[in-house]
Amino acid sequence: MLAEVRHHLHEEEQQVLPRLQDACSAEELQELGRMVVRAKDSAPTRPHPSAPDKPPANLILGPGVGMIDKLRDAFSGRNRD
């Protein structure tokens, strides 16, 4: 599993992100960054293997699941700095 994560990160850093940087203006990259932050704010923080992973169901249910995960994290102390 760790090797797969490292491979994924390497691929993004060496292939995907450089292509994105070449294809987008600074303003577009900033907007993409803002979109990622907004998505991360509502995304689930725990695995949900039985949750839908394709639109439209994942787009409808994901934010609610994310909110519940964040409440669970807050009550349990998970992810505290």
Side-chain angles (χ1 to χ4, degrees):
M1 177 72 147
L2 184 56
E4 292 171 0
V5 172
R6 287 186 176 164
H7 173 75
H8 178 79
L9 289 172
H10 179 77
E11 184 178 28
E12 281 189 1
E13 290 172 350
Q14 301 301 315
Q15 296 176 14
V16 176
L17 295 176
R19 288 181 186 170
L20 188 61
Q21 190 171 19
D22 290 343
C24 297
S25 69
E27 294 81 19
E28 291 170 321
L29 291 172
Q30 289 174 346
E31 179 58 24
L32 286 171
R34 286 189 286 273
M35 292 169 68
V36 168
V37 169
R38 282 193 303 269
K40 190 175 178 183
D41 286 344
S42 65
T45 62
R46 300 163 183 263
H48 297 277
S50 61
D53 61 355
K54 292 184 175 51
N58 67 329
L59 300 174
I60 294 167
L61 298 175
V65 173
M67 179 183 69
I68 292 167
D69 282 357
K70 286 175 179 48
L71 286 171
R72 286 179 64 194
D73 294 347
F75 286 120
S76 71
R78 184 177 177 182
N79 296 332
R80 285 198 183 141
D81 295 317

